[in-house]
Short mmCIF file of all heavy atoms in Angstrom, two decimals:
data_model
loop_
_atom_site.label_atom_id
_atom_site.label_comp_id
_atom_site.label_asym_id
_atom_site.label_seq_id
_atom_site.Cartn_x
_atom_site.Cartn_y
_atom_site.Cartn_z
N GLY A 95 -3.62 -4.03 8.66
CA GLY A 95 -3.49 -3.57 10.04
C GLY A 95 -2.54 -2.40 10.15
O GLY A 95 -2.81 -1.42 10.85
N LEU A 96 -1.47 -2.48 9.43
CA LEU A 96 -0.50 -1.38 9.44
C LEU A 96 -1.12 -0.12 8.85
O LEU A 96 -0.98 0.99 9.39
CB LEU A 96 0.75 -1.78 8.65
CG LEU A 96 1.83 -0.72 8.53
CD1 LEU A 96 2.33 -0.30 9.91
CD2 LEU A 96 3.00 -1.25 7.68
N ALA A 97 -1.81 -0.31 7.74
CA ALA A 97 -2.45 0.84 7.10
C ALA A 97 -3.45 1.48 8.05
O ALA A 97 -3.54 2.71 8.15
CB ALA A 97 -3.14 0.41 5.81
N GLU A 98 -4.18 0.65 8.73
CA GLU A 98 -5.17 1.17 9.67
C GLU A 98 -4.50 2.00 10.75
O GLU A 98 -4.95 3.11 11.08
CB GLU A 98 -5.91 -0.02 10.30
CG GLU A 98 -6.97 0.39 11.29
CD GLU A 98 -7.50 -0.81 12.05
OE1 GLU A 98 -7.73 -1.86 11.41
OE2 GLU A 98 -7.67 -0.71 13.28
N SER A 99 -3.44 1.47 11.27
CA SER A 99 -2.74 2.19 12.32
C SER A 99 -2.17 3.51 11.81
O SER A 99 -2.20 4.53 12.50
CB SER A 99 -1.66 1.29 12.90
OG SER A 99 -0.49 2.00 13.16
N CYS A 100 -1.66 3.49 10.61
CA CYS A 100 -1.13 4.73 10.02
C CYS A 100 -2.25 5.74 9.82
O CYS A 100 -2.09 6.93 10.09
CB CYS A 100 -0.46 4.44 8.69
SG CYS A 100 1.11 3.59 8.84
N GLU A 101 -3.35 5.22 9.35
CA GLU A 101 -4.48 6.09 9.11
C GLU A 101 -4.90 6.78 10.41
O GLU A 101 -5.12 7.99 10.44
CB GLU A 101 -5.63 5.26 8.55
CG GLU A 101 -6.78 6.08 8.04
CD GLU A 101 -7.87 5.19 7.48
OE1 GLU A 101 -7.57 4.33 6.65
OE2 GLU A 101 -9.03 5.35 7.91
N ASP A 102 -5.00 5.98 11.45
CA ASP A 102 -5.40 6.55 12.73
C ASP A 102 -4.42 7.63 13.20
O ASP A 102 -4.80 8.58 13.87
CB ASP A 102 -5.49 5.46 13.80
CG ASP A 102 -6.67 4.54 13.54
OD1 ASP A 102 -7.52 4.90 12.69
OD2 ASP A 102 -6.73 3.48 14.16
N ALA A 103 -3.17 7.43 12.84
CA ALA A 103 -2.15 8.39 13.28
C ALA A 103 -1.99 9.52 12.28
O ALA A 103 -1.15 10.40 12.45
CB ALA A 103 -0.82 7.67 13.50
N GLY A 104 -2.81 9.48 11.24
CA GLY A 104 -2.69 10.53 10.24
C GLY A 104 -1.41 10.47 9.43
O GLY A 104 -0.96 11.47 8.88
N GLN A 105 -0.86 9.29 9.36
CA GLN A 105 0.38 9.12 8.61
C GLN A 105 0.12 8.40 7.31
O GLN A 105 -0.77 7.55 7.24
CB GLN A 105 1.36 8.27 9.44
CG GLN A 105 1.74 8.89 10.75
CD GLN A 105 2.93 9.82 10.60
OE1 GLN A 105 4.00 9.40 10.19
NE2 GLN A 105 2.73 11.09 10.91
N GLY A 106 0.88 8.71 6.33
CA GLY A 106 0.78 7.97 5.09
C GLY A 106 1.56 6.67 5.20
O GLY A 106 2.39 6.51 6.11
N LEU A 107 1.27 5.73 4.32
CA LEU A 107 2.02 4.48 4.29
C LEU A 107 2.66 4.36 2.92
O LEU A 107 1.95 4.26 1.92
CB LEU A 107 1.09 3.30 4.56
CG LEU A 107 1.74 1.92 4.50
CD1 LEU A 107 2.89 1.82 5.48
CD2 LEU A 107 0.73 0.83 4.79
N LEU A 108 3.96 4.41 2.90
CA LEU A 108 4.66 4.39 1.62
C LEU A 108 5.19 3.00 1.30
O LEU A 108 6.05 2.47 2.03
CB LEU A 108 5.82 5.38 1.63
CG LEU A 108 6.60 5.49 0.32
CD1 LEU A 108 5.81 6.29 -0.70
CD2 LEU A 108 7.96 6.14 0.54
N LEU A 109 4.68 2.42 0.23
CA LEU A 109 5.21 1.14 -0.23
C LEU A 109 6.49 1.43 -0.98
O LEU A 109 6.47 2.03 -2.06
CB LEU A 109 4.21 0.45 -1.15
CG LEU A 109 3.13 -0.41 -0.50
CD1 LEU A 109 2.59 0.22 0.77
CD2 LEU A 109 2.01 -0.70 -1.48
N VAL A 110 7.58 1.02 -0.43
CA VAL A 110 8.87 1.33 -1.03
C VAL A 110 9.14 0.38 -2.19
O VAL A 110 8.94 -0.84 -2.07
CB VAL A 110 9.99 1.24 0.02
CG1 VAL A 110 11.33 1.54 -0.62
CG2 VAL A 110 9.72 2.21 1.15
N ALA A 111 9.58 0.96 -3.28
CA ALA A 111 9.76 0.19 -4.51
C ALA A 111 10.96 -0.74 -4.42
O ALA A 111 12.01 -0.51 -5.02
CB ALA A 111 9.90 1.12 -5.70
N VAL A 112 10.79 -1.79 -3.63
CA VAL A 112 11.84 -2.77 -3.46
C VAL A 112 11.26 -4.08 -3.93
O VAL A 112 10.32 -4.57 -3.36
CB VAL A 112 12.21 -2.86 -1.98
CG1 VAL A 112 12.89 -4.17 -1.70
CG2 VAL A 112 13.08 -1.69 -1.59
N GLY A 113 11.78 -4.62 -4.96
CA GLY A 113 11.19 -5.86 -5.42
C GLY A 113 12.13 -6.58 -6.33
O GLY A 113 13.17 -6.05 -6.71
N PRO A 114 11.76 -7.78 -6.68
CA PRO A 114 12.65 -8.61 -7.46
C PRO A 114 12.80 -8.10 -8.89
O PRO A 114 13.74 -8.46 -9.58
CB PRO A 114 11.95 -9.97 -7.45
CG PRO A 114 10.52 -9.66 -7.20
CD PRO A 114 10.46 -8.37 -6.47
N ASN A 115 11.86 -7.27 -9.31
CA ASN A 115 11.99 -6.69 -10.65
C ASN A 115 13.14 -5.71 -10.71
O ASN A 115 13.63 -5.38 -11.78
CB ASN A 115 10.71 -5.94 -11.03
CG ASN A 115 9.54 -6.87 -11.21
OD1 ASN A 115 9.73 -8.08 -11.24
ND2 ASN A 115 8.36 -6.32 -11.33
N ARG A 116 13.50 -5.22 -9.56
CA ARG A 116 14.49 -4.16 -9.55
C ARG A 116 15.83 -4.68 -9.05
O ARG A 116 15.90 -5.61 -8.27
CB ARG A 116 14.03 -3.02 -8.65
CG ARG A 116 12.66 -2.50 -9.05
CD ARG A 116 12.32 -1.26 -8.30
NE ARG A 116 13.29 -0.21 -8.51
CZ ARG A 116 13.41 0.49 -9.63
NH1 ARG A 116 12.62 0.24 -10.63
NH2 ARG A 116 14.30 1.42 -9.73
N SER A 117 16.86 -4.04 -9.49
CA SER A 117 18.19 -4.43 -9.04
C SER A 117 18.36 -4.00 -7.59
O SER A 117 17.63 -3.15 -7.08
CB SER A 117 19.23 -3.72 -9.89
OG SER A 117 19.18 -2.32 -9.64
N LEU A 118 19.30 -4.61 -6.96
CA LEU A 118 19.60 -4.24 -5.58
C LEU A 118 19.92 -2.75 -5.50
O LEU A 118 19.52 -2.05 -4.57
CB LEU A 118 20.80 -5.06 -5.09
CG LEU A 118 21.32 -4.70 -3.70
CD1 LEU A 118 20.20 -4.82 -2.67
CD2 LEU A 118 22.49 -5.60 -3.32
N GLU A 119 20.58 -2.30 -6.51
CA GLU A 119 20.98 -0.90 -6.53
C GLU A 119 19.75 0.02 -6.59
O GLU A 119 19.63 0.97 -5.81
CB GLU A 119 21.85 -0.65 -7.77
CG GLU A 119 22.60 0.65 -7.71
CD GLU A 119 23.55 0.76 -8.89
OE1 GLU A 119 23.47 -0.10 -9.79
OE2 GLU A 119 24.36 1.70 -8.90
N ASP A 120 18.85 -0.29 -7.49
CA ASP A 120 17.64 0.51 -7.60
C ASP A 120 16.82 0.44 -6.33
O ASP A 120 16.27 1.44 -5.87
CB ASP A 120 16.78 0.01 -8.77
CG ASP A 120 17.39 0.40 -10.11
OD1 ASP A 120 18.33 1.22 -10.11
OD2 ASP A 120 16.91 -0.11 -11.14
N GLY A 121 16.72 -0.77 -5.80
CA GLY A 121 15.94 -0.93 -4.59
C GLY A 121 16.55 -0.14 -3.45
O GLY A 121 15.84 0.52 -2.68
N SER A 122 17.86 -0.19 -3.35
CA SER A 122 18.52 0.57 -2.29
C SER A 122 18.26 2.05 -2.48
O SER A 122 18.00 2.78 -1.52
CB SER A 122 20.02 0.30 -2.32
OG SER A 122 20.27 -1.07 -2.16
N ALA A 123 18.34 2.48 -3.71
CA ALA A 123 18.08 3.89 -3.99
C ALA A 123 16.69 4.27 -3.51
O ALA A 123 16.48 5.35 -2.96
CB ALA A 123 18.23 4.16 -5.49
N ALA A 124 15.74 3.36 -3.73
CA ALA A 124 14.37 3.65 -3.31
C ALA A 124 14.28 3.78 -1.80
O ALA A 124 13.59 4.65 -1.28
CB ALA A 124 13.43 2.55 -3.81
N VAL A 125 14.99 2.92 -1.10
CA VAL A 125 14.99 3.01 0.36
C VAL A 125 15.62 4.33 0.80
O VAL A 125 15.13 5.03 1.68
CB VAL A 125 15.76 1.83 0.98
CG1 VAL A 125 15.95 2.04 2.47
CG2 VAL A 125 15.03 0.53 0.72
N LEU A 126 16.71 4.65 0.13
CA LEU A 126 17.43 5.87 0.49
C LEU A 126 16.65 7.13 0.12
O LEU A 126 16.86 8.20 0.69
CB LEU A 126 18.78 5.88 -0.25
CG LEU A 126 20.05 5.49 0.50
CD1 LEU A 126 19.78 4.85 1.84
CD2 LEU A 126 20.95 4.63 -0.35
N ALA A 127 15.77 6.98 -0.84
CA ALA A 127 15.04 8.15 -1.34
C ALA A 127 13.65 8.29 -0.74
O ALA A 127 12.90 9.20 -1.09
CB ALA A 127 14.93 8.08 -2.86
N ALA A 128 13.30 7.39 0.15
CA ALA A 128 11.94 7.41 0.70
C ALA A 128 11.79 8.54 1.71
O ALA A 128 12.53 8.63 2.69
CB ALA A 128 11.63 6.08 1.36
N GLY A 129 10.82 9.38 1.47
CA GLY A 129 10.57 10.47 2.40
C GLY A 129 9.66 10.01 3.52
O GLY A 129 8.46 10.19 3.49
N VAL A 130 10.27 9.39 4.52
CA VAL A 130 9.49 8.80 5.61
C VAL A 130 10.14 9.09 6.96
O VAL A 130 11.28 9.53 7.03
CB VAL A 130 9.38 7.27 5.44
CG1 VAL A 130 8.66 6.91 4.15
CG2 VAL A 130 10.77 6.64 5.46
N ASP A 131 9.37 8.83 8.01
CA ASP A 131 9.88 9.06 9.37
C ASP A 131 10.33 7.77 10.03
O ASP A 131 10.81 7.79 11.17
CB ASP A 131 8.79 9.70 10.23
CG ASP A 131 8.33 11.02 9.64
OD1 ASP A 131 9.19 11.78 9.19
OD2 ASP A 131 7.11 11.28 9.63
N GLY A 132 10.11 6.68 9.34
CA GLY A 132 10.48 5.40 9.93
C GLY A 132 10.13 4.28 8.96
O GLY A 132 9.43 4.51 7.97
#
Side-chain angles (χ1 to χ4, degrees):
Chain A
L96 178 59
E98 180 189 317
S99 140
C100 287
E101 190 179 308
D102 290 348
Q105 299 272 300
L107 178 57
L108 183 76
L109 274 40
V110 179
V112 159
N115 293 349
R116 305 189 58 74
S117 67
L118 174 57
E119 195 174 9
D120 286 349
S122 301
V125 171
L126 259 12
V130 298
D131 301 318

